[in-house]
Amino acid sequence: MPHLKSIFNCFRAQGHREPDPTTAASSRARQHAGASLPASETLVPRRNPAEDGEAFRRQAALPPLADPAASSSAAGSMPSPPGSLASTGRGPTEGEALRRWSAAGSSLTLMRDLDAEVRGNGGVDLSFNWYRAEELLSGELHGHLLASVMADARSLSMQTGLAPADAAEVMRRAVCDGTVAAEDPIQFRNLLKFALYGVREKLTAEAELGEVMRRHPAFRDFPVQEAWRFCMDHDRWHEPGGADGLRFDNEAGYMGAMLRGLKQVLEDDLNHKGRVPTAAEFEELHDTAVAGVFTRHFPQGLKGDGPVTAAVVDALTAPRANYQQATIEAEEILRRRLPDQLSHFETGFRGVQGAHYELKPGWNLSKDGLAELQHAERNFKGWARMLTPGSGYARLASQWAEQSPLQWVCDFKTSTECKALADKVLRSHAKAMRGERSDDGKLRRIAETCRTLEQAHFFNDGNARTVGFLLLNRLLLGAGMSPALMSNPNQFDGFSVGELVQSIRQGQEKFARYAGALQS
């Protein structure tokens, strides 16, 4: 099986605003118009997305996008089932395309090769080889699977004329009703449904975001197909699945939710120009960024034995206007609460719960950041503290090169306490920004506020993505500054304010280079 072996060979062990933003973005774009992007990051130049958006897609070898006007504009809404297969039946072209996918689709070929390898080594199912299971569910093999599913959805879209998001949904339902992959192991069918769910959510959100981007002066020349770059760590851009913005969809629905979060950022900026968000709006932004996102799967959540049947996964991955309805329907089938590995992320401020995260030197903790974190620990007295894992205190090395990982631990707080502190931080930020006149001063305030909100860890999960990708850009746009393509939102865990300002500036320059490439 040379195809699969070539994939395995690449495995690596893994542990886990000047007053007008248009002026700011375009002036920086002109300044960097001659700057070149790495080959893997180069965008196809275009001048007017309304006139030559399809030319851009043809040059990028992508199918046409769904008409944004035909998509629901409500955040969290799903595409209408394309023609309702139950009532209309599959047309000859659609049926033939599904047969081709079933026989030789790249996603099904990859999964069948893996199944053959597992069985060839004496295994019965995916749980036989935990390393392969981890790679398929979270590692680079999962990125390959998602890239393959996206390619298959685009292929079916071009063959049938369906919008890509609708093509992904047709494929998911074909797996659910046994038209495709009926003879394949149930854990692979269930995993394929989650992969198609993630692809459908991303493509649907992309279409919704496109309309808002065309109205926003800082984003109107930026192709929506590249908007995923605002929502993913830069070191993952070039990994399998990265070029489609799906590398983090081992939490199925990640990119779809993040693109809807970015849409909310732009809409809020258009509707409330210059106003700092309230604590309630901050909470709403987080909830949008995790709505419909599943926690990471484990083999026992996909095998289909016991109470977790294929019907449960069918219900969980179906299009929904309200994601909680999927959970309700699945739990009615189960007759009990969903297991954790098939649950959605929690929304709202954490309530009567603590939180903690690891501080890894060089990744989300710097030498200067550690010094400032010690000062922040005093400001967070009664709220958070720094520890060495397995110890009741923090062991600080005399030499930075010898510093071992630390842990930032947030105490149990009610949702009311979380909201009150978030409100205090954001009000303080709004007051401070009114007194700032220089861009340097504004950037420092923004960096400090985002770091404080991240370190307070107001939510059970999704803090870094909400603060470091979305809220940051809301604050930058509100201050009349250019948006930023942040390389690593986890730097807000434990980097210094000065280092964060430098990272934000680099992110703004990267955005300007992209805008320059598009305008040249």
Coordinates of all heavy atoms in Angstrom, one line a residue, residues 80-147:
S80 N -29.7 25.0 4.0 CA -30.9 24.2 3.8 C -30.5 22.9 3.1 O -29.6 22.9 2.2 CB -31.9 24.9 3.0 OG -32.3 26.1 3.7
P81 N -31.1 21.8 3.5 CA -30.7 20.5 2.8 C -31.0 20.7 1.3 O -32.0 21.2 0.8 CB -31.7 19.5 3.3 CG -32.1 20.1 4.7 CD -32.0 21.6 4.6
P82 N -30.0 20.4 0.4 CA -30.1 20.7 -1.0 C -31.1 19.8 -1.7 O -30.8 18.7 -2.2 CB -28.6 20.3 -1.5 CG -28.1 19.3 -0.5 CD -28.8 19.7 0.8
G83 N -32.3 20.3 -1.8 CA -33.4 19.6 -2.5 C -34.0 18.5 -1.7 O -34.9 17.9 -2.2
S84 N -33.5 18.3 -0.5 CA -34.1 17.2 0.3 C -34.1 15.9 -0.4 O -35.0 15.6 -1.2 CB -35.5 17.5 0.8 OG -36.0 16.4 1.6
L85 N -33.0 15.1 -0.3 CA -32.9 13.8 -1.0 C -34.1 12.9 -0.8 O -34.5 12.2 -1.7 CB -31.6 13.1 -0.6 CG -30.3 13.9 -0.8 CD1 -29.1 13.0 -0.4 CD2 -30.2 14.3 -2.3
A86 N -34.7 13.0 0.4 CA -35.8 12.1 0.7 C -37.0 12.4 -0.2 O -37.8 11.5 -0.5 CB -36.2 12.3 2.2
S87 N -37.2 13.7 -0.5 CA -38.4 14.0 -1.3 C -38.1 14.1 -2.8 O -39.0 13.8 -3.6 CB -38.9 15.4 -0.9 OG -37.9 16.4 -1.1
T88 N -36.9 14.4 -3.2 CA -36.6 14.5 -4.7 C -35.9 13.4 -5.3 O -35.9 13.1 -6.5 CB -35.8 15.8 -4.9 OG1 -34.5 15.7 -4.3 CG2 -36.5 17.0 -4.3
G89 N -35.2 12.6 -4.4 CA -34.3 11.6 -5.0 C -33.1 12.1 -5.6 O -33.0 13.3 -6.0
R90 N -32.1 11.3 -5.8 CA -30.8 11.8 -6.4 C -30.9 11.8 -7.9 O -31.3 10.8 -8.4 CB -29.6 10.9 -5.9 CG -29.4 11.0 -4.4 CD -28.1 10.3 -4.0 NE -27.8 10.4 -2.6 CZ -28.3 9.6 -1.7 NH1 -29.0 8.5 -2.1 NH2 -28.0 9.8 -0.4
G91 N -30.5 12.9 -8.5 CA -30.5 12.9 -10.0 C -29.4 12.0 -10.5 O -28.5 11.6 -9.8
P92 N -29.4 11.7 -11.8 CA -28.4 10.8 -12.4 C -27.0 11.3 -12.2 O -26.1 10.6 -11.8 CB -28.8 10.8 -13.8 CG -30.2 11.1 -13.9 CD -30.4 12.1 -12.7
T93 N -26.8 12.6 -12.4 CA -25.5 13.2 -12.2 C -25.0 13.1 -10.8 O -23.8 12.7 -10.5 CB -25.4 14.7 -12.7 OG1 -25.9 14.8 -14.0 CG2 -24.1 15.3 -12.6
E94 N -25.8 13.4 -9.8 CA -25.5 13.3 -8.4 C -25.2 11.9 -8.0 O -24.2 11.6 -7.3 CB -26.6 13.9 -7.6 CG -26.3 14.1 -6.1 CD -27.4 14.8 -5.4 OE1 -27.7 16.0 -5.8 OE2 -28.0 14.2 -4.6
G95 N -26.0 11.0 -8.5 CA -25.8 9.6 -8.1 C -24.6 9.0 -8.7 O -23.8 8.3 -8.1
E96 N -24.2 9.4 -10.0 CA -23.0 8.9 -10.6 C -21.8 9.5 -9.8 O -20.8 8.8 -9.6 CB -23.0 9.3 -12.1 CG -21.7 9.0 -12.8 CD -21.4 7.5 -12.8 OE1 -22.4 6.7 -12.8 OE2 -20.2 7.1 -12.8
A97 N -21.9 10.7 -9.4 CA -20.8 11.4 -8.7 C -20.5 10.6 -7.4 O -19.4 10.4 -7.0 CB -21.0 12.8 -8.5
L98 N -21.6 10.3 -6.7 CA -21.5 9.5 -5.4 C -20.9 8.2 -5.7 O -20.1 7.7 -4.9 CB -22.9 9.4 -4.8 CG -23.4 10.7 -4.1 CD1 -24.8 10.5 -3.6 CD2 -22.5 11.1 -2.9
R99 N -21.3 7.5 -6.8 CA -20.7 6.2 -7.1 C -19.2 6.3 -7.3 O -18.4 5.5 -6.9 CB -21.4 5.6 -8.3 CG -22.8 5.0 -7.9 CD -23.3 4.1 -9.1 NE -23.7 5.0 -10.2 CZ -24.9 5.6 -10.3 NH1 -25.8 5.5 -9.4 NH2 -25.1 6.3 -11.4
R100 N -18.8 7.4 -8.0 CA -17.3 7.6 -8.3 C -16.6 7.8 -6.9 O -15.5 7.3 -6.7 CB -17.1 8.8 -9.2 CG -17.6 8.6 -10.6 CD -17.4 9.8 -11.4 NE -18.0 9.7 -12.8 CZ -18.1 10.7 -13.6 NH1 -17.8 11.9 -13.3 NH2 -18.6 10.5 -14.8
W101 N -17.2 8.6 -6.1 CA -16.6 8.9 -4.8 C -16.5 7.6 -4.0 O -15.4 7.3 -3.4 CB -17.4 9.9 -4.0 CG -16.9 10.2 -2.6 CD1 -15.6 10.5 -2.3 CD2 -17.6 10.1 -1.4 NE1 -15.5 10.6 -0.9 CE2 -16.7 10.4 -0.4 CE3 -19.0 9.9 -1.1 CZ2 -17.2 10.5 1.0 CZ3 -19.4 10.0 0.2 CH2 -18.5 10.2 1.2
S102 N -17.5 6.8 -4.0 CA -17.5 5.5 -3.2 C -16.5 4.6 -3.7 O -15.8 3.9 -3.0 CB -18.9 4.9 -3.3 OG -18.9 3.7 -2.6
A103 N -16.3 4.6 -5.1 CA -15.3 3.6 -5.6 C -13.9 4.1 -5.5 O -13.0 3.3 -5.3 CB -15.7 3.4 -7.1
A104 N -13.6 5.4 -5.7 CA -12.2 5.8 -5.8 C -12.0 7.2 -5.1 O -10.9 7.8 -5.4 CB -11.8 5.9 -7.2
G105 N -12.8 7.6 -4.3 CA -12.6 8.9 -3.6 C -11.3 8.9 -2.7 O -11.1 7.8 -2.1
S106 N -10.6 9.9 -2.7 CA -9.3 9.9 -2.0 C -9.5 9.7 -0.5 O -8.7 9.0 0.2 CB -8.6 11.2 -2.2 OG -9.3 12.4 -1.8
S107 N -10.6 10.3 0.1 CA -10.8 10.1 1.5 C -11.2 8.6 1.9 O -10.6 8.1 2.8 CB -12.0 11.0 2.0 OG -13.1 10.8 1.2
L108 N -12.0 8.0 1.0 CA -12.4 6.6 1.3 C -11.2 5.7 1.0 O -11.0 4.7 1.7 CB -13.6 6.2 0.4 CG -14.9 6.9 0.8 CD1 -15.9 6.7 -0.2 CD2 -15.4 6.2 2.1
T109 N -10.4 6.0 0.0 CA -9.2 5.2 -0.3 C -8.2 5.2 0.9 O -7.7 4.2 1.3 CB -8.5 5.7 -1.5 OG1 -9.4 5.6 -2.6 CG2 -7.2 4.9 -1.8
L110 N -8.0 6.4 1.5 CA -7.1 6.6 2.6 C -7.6 5.7 3.8 O -6.8 5.0 4.4 CB -7.0 8.0 3.0 CG -6.0 8.4 4.1 CD1 -5.4 9.8 3.9 CD2 -6.6 8.3 5.5
M111 N -8.9 5.8 4.1 CA -9.4 5.1 5.3 C -9.4 3.6 5.0 O -9.2 2.8 5.9 CB -10.8 5.6 5.6 CG -10.8 7.1 6.0 SD -12.5 7.7 6.4 CE -12.7 7.0 8.0
R112 N -9.7 3.2 3.8 CA -9.7 1.7 3.5 C -8.3 1.2 3.6 O -8.1 0.0 4.0 CB -10.3 1.5 2.2 CG -11.8 1.6 2.2 CD -12.5 1.8 0.8 NE -13.9 2.0 0.9 CZ -14.7 2.5 -0.1 NH1 -14.1 2.8 -1.2 NH2 -16.0 2.6 0.1
D113 N -7.3 1.9 3.1 CA -5.9 1.5 3.2 C -5.5 1.3 4.7 O -4.8 0.4 5.1 CB -5.0 2.5 2.6 CG -5.0 2.4 1.1 OD1 -5.6 1.5 0.5 OD2 -4.4 3.3 0.4
L114 N -6.0 2.3 5.5 CA -5.6 2.2 7.0 C -6.3 0.9 7.6 O -5.7 0.2 8.4 CB -6.1 3.4 7.7 CG -5.9 3.4 9.2 CD1 -4.4 3.3 9.5 CD2 -6.4 4.7 9.9
D115 N -7.6 0.7 7.2 CA -8.3 -0.5 7.7 C -7.5 -1.7 7.3 O -7.4 -2.7 8.1 CB -9.7 -0.5 7.2 CG -10.5 -1.7 7.7 OD1 -10.5 -1.9 8.9 OD2 -11.1 -2.4 6.9
A116 N -7.1 -1.8 6.0 CA -6.3 -3.0 5.6 C -5.0 -3.2 6.3 O -4.7 -4.3 6.7 CB -6.0 -2.9 4.1
E117 N -4.4 -2.1 6.7 CA -3.1 -2.2 7.4 C -3.4 -2.7 8.8 O -2.7 -3.6 9.3 CB -2.4 -0.8 7.5 CG -1.1 -0.9 8.3 CD -0.6 0.4 8.8 OE1 -1.0 0.8 9.9 OE2 0.2 1.0 8.1
V118 N -4.4 -2.2 9.5 CA -4.8 -2.6 10.8 C -5.1 -4.1 10.8 O -4.6 -4.9 11.7 CB -5.9 -1.8 11.4 CG1 -6.5 -2.4 12.7 CG2 -5.5 -0.3 11.7
R119 N -5.9 -4.5 9.9 CA -6.3 -5.9 9.8 C -5.2 -6.8 9.4 O -5.1 -8.0 9.9 CB -7.5 -6.1 8.9 CG -8.8 -5.4 9.4 CD -9.9 -5.5 8.4 NE -11.1 -4.7 8.8 CZ -12.0 -5.2 9.7 NH1 -11.9 -6.4 10.2 NH2 -13.0 -4.4 10.0
G120 N -4.3 -6.3 8.6 CA -3.2 -7.1 8.1 C -2.2 -7.3 9.2 O -1.4 -8.3 9.2
N121 N -2.2 -6.5 10.3 CA -1.4 -6.7 11.4 C -2.1 -7.4 12.6 O -1.6 -7.4 13.7 CB -0.9 -5.4 12.0 CG 0.2 -4.8 11.1 OD1 1.2 -5.5 10.8 ND2 0.1 -3.6 10.6
G122 N -3.2 -8.1 12.2 CA -3.9 -8.9 13.2 C -4.9 -8.2 14.1 O -5.4 -8.7 15.0
G123 N -5.2 -6.9 13.7 CA -6.1 -6.1 14.5 C -7.6 -6.4 14.0 O -7.8 -6.9 12.9
V124 N -8.5 -6.0 14.9 CA -9.9 -6.1 14.5 C -10.5 -4.8 14.2 O -11.3 -4.7 13.3 CB -10.7 -6.8 15.7 CG1 -12.2 -6.8 15.4 CG2 -10.1 -8.1 16.0
D125 N -10.1 -3.7 14.9 CA -10.6 -2.4 14.7 C -9.6 -1.4 15.0 O -8.4 -1.7 15.4 CB -11.9 -2.2 15.4 CG -11.8 -2.4 16.9 OD1 -10.7 -2.0 17.5 OD2 -12.7 -2.9 17.6
L126 N -10.0 -0.1 15.0 CA -9.1 1.0 15.2 C -8.4 1.0 16.5 O -7.2 1.4 16.6 CB -9.8 2.3 15.0 CG -9.0 3.6 14.9 CD1 -8.2 3.6 13.6 CD2 -10.0 4.8 14.8
S127 N -9.0 0.5 17.5 CA -8.4 0.5 18.9 C -7.3 -0.5 19.0 O -6.5 -0.4 20.0 CB -9.5 0.1 19.9 OG -10.0 -1.1 19.7
F128 N -7.0 -1.3 18.0 CA -5.9 -2.3 18.0 C -4.6 -1.5 18.1 O -3.6 -1.9 18.7 CB -6.0 -3.2 16.8 CG -4.7 -4.0 16.6 CD1 -4.5 -5.1 17.4 CD2 -3.8 -3.7 15.6 CE1 -3.3 -5.9 17.2 CE2 -2.7 -4.4 15.4 CZ -2.4 -5.5 16.2
N129 N -4.5 -0.4 17.3 CA -3.2 0.3 17.2 C -3.5 1.7 17.7 O -4.0 2.6 17.0 CB -2.7 0.3 15.8 CG -1.3 0.9 15.7 OD1 -1.0 1.8 16.4 ND2 -0.5 0.3 14.8
W130 N -3.1 2.0 18.9 CA -3.5 3.3 19.5 C -2.7 4.5 18.8 O -3.3 5.5 18.6 CB -3.1 3.3 21.0 CG -3.5 4.6 21.7 CD1 -2.7 5.6 22.1 CD2 -4.8 5.1 22.0 NE1 -3.4 6.7 22.6 CE2 -4.7 6.3 22.6 CE3 -6.1 4.5 21.8 CZ2 -5.8 7.1 23.0 CZ3 -7.2 5.2 22.3 CH2 -7.1 6.5 22.8
Y131 N -1.5 4.2 18.4 CA -0.8 5.3 17.7 C -1.5 5.7 16.4 O -1.7 6.8 16.1 CB 0.7 4.8 17.4 CG 1.4 5.8 16.6 CD1 1.8 7.1 17.1 CD2 1.7 5.6 15.2 CE1 2.5 8.0 16.4 CE2 2.4 6.5 14.5 CZ 2.8 7.7 15.0 OH 3.5 8.7 14.3
R132 N -1.9 4.7 15.6 CA -2.6 4.9 14.4 C -4.0 5.6 14.7 O -4.4 6.6 14.0 CB -2.9 3.6 13.6 CG -1.7 3.0 13.0 CD -1.1 3.9 11.9 NE 0.0 3.2 11.2 CZ 1.2 3.5 11.5 NH1 1.5 4.4 12.4 NH2 2.2 2.9 10.8
A133 N -4.6 5.2 15.8 CA -5.9 5.8 16.2 C -5.6 7.3 16.5 O -6.4 8.2 16.1 CB -6.5 5.1 17.4
E134 N -4.6 7.6 17.3 CA -4.3 9.0 17.6 C -4.0 9.8 16.4 O -4.4 11.0 16.3 CB -3.1 9.0 18.6 CG -3.5 8.6 20.0 CD -4.4 9.7 20.7 OE1 -3.9 10.7 21.1 OE2 -5.6 9.4 20.7
E135 N -3.2 9.3 15.5 CA -2.9 10.0 14.3 C -4.1 10.3 13.4 O -4.3 11.3 12.8 CB -1.9 9.2 13.4 CG -0.4 9.4 14.0 CD 0.0 10.8 13.9 OE1 -0.4 11.6 13.0 OE2 0.9 11.2 14.7
L136 N -5.0 9.3 13.4 CA -6.2 9.4 12.5 C -7.2 10.4 13.2 O -7.9 11.1 12.5 CB -6.9 8.1 12.3 CG -8.2 8.1 11.4 CD1 -7.8 8.6 10.0 CD2 -8.7 6.7 11.3
L137 N -7.2 10.5 14.5 CA -8.2 11.3 15.2 C -7.6 12.7 15.6 O -8.4 13.6 15.8 CB -8.6 10.6 16.5 CG -9.3 9.3 16.3 CD1 -9.5 8.5 17.6 CD2 -10.7 9.5 15.7
S138 N -6.3 12.9 15.6 CA -5.8 14.2 16.0 C -4.5 14.6 15.3 O -4.2 15.8 15.2 CB -5.4 14.1 17.5 OG -6.6 14.0 18.3
G139 N -3.8 13.6 14.7 CA -2.4 14.0 14.2 C -2.5 14.3 12.7 O -3.5 14.7 12.1
E140 N -1.3 14.1 12.1 CA -1.2 14.5 10.7 C -2.1 13.7 9.7 O -2.5 14.2 8.7 CB 0.3 14.4 10.2 CG 1.1 15.5 10.9 CD 2.5 15.7 10.2 OE1 2.7 14.9 9.2 OE2 3.3 16.5 10.7
L141 N -2.3 12.4 10.1 CA -3.2 11.6 9.3 C -4.6 12.2 9.2 O -5.3 12.1 8.2 CB -3.2 10.1 9.8 CG -4.0 9.2 8.9 CD1 -3.6 9.2 7.5 CD2 -3.9 7.8 9.5
H142 N -5.0 12.7 10.3 CA -6.3 13.4 10.4 C -6.3 14.6 9.4 O -7.3 14.9 8.8 CB -6.7 13.8 11.8 CG -8.1 14.3 11.9 ND1 -8.5 15.6 11.9 CD2 -9.2 13.5 12.1 CE1 -9.8 15.6 12.0 NE2 -10.3 14.4 12.2
G143 N -5.2 15.3 9.4 CA -5.1 16.4 8.4 C -5.2 16.0 7.0 O -5.8 16.6 6.2
H144 N -4.5 14.8 6.7 CA -4.6 14.2 5.4 C -6.1 13.8 5.1 O -6.6 14.0 4.0 CB -3.8 13.0 5.3 CG -2.3 13.3 5.0 ND1 -1.8 13.8 3.8 CD2 -1.2 13.2 5.8 CE1 -0.5 13.9 3.9 NE2 -0.1 13.6 5.1
L145 N -6.8 13.3 6.1 CA -8.2 12.9 5.9 C -9.0 14.1 5.5 O -9.8 14.0 4.6 CB -8.7 12.1 7.1 CG -10.2 11.8 7.1 CD1 -10.6 10.9 6.0 CD2 -10.6 11.2 8.4
L146 N -8.9 15.1 6.3 CA -9.7 16.3 6.1 C -9.4 17.0 4.7 O -10.3 17.4 4.0 CB -9.5 17.3 7.2 CG -10.1 16.9 8.5 CD1 -9.6 17.8 9.7 CD2 -11.6 17.1 8.5
A147 N -8.1 17.0 4.3 CA -7.8 17.5 3.0 C -8.4 16.7 1.9 O -8.9 17.2 0.9 CB -6.3 17.6 2.9

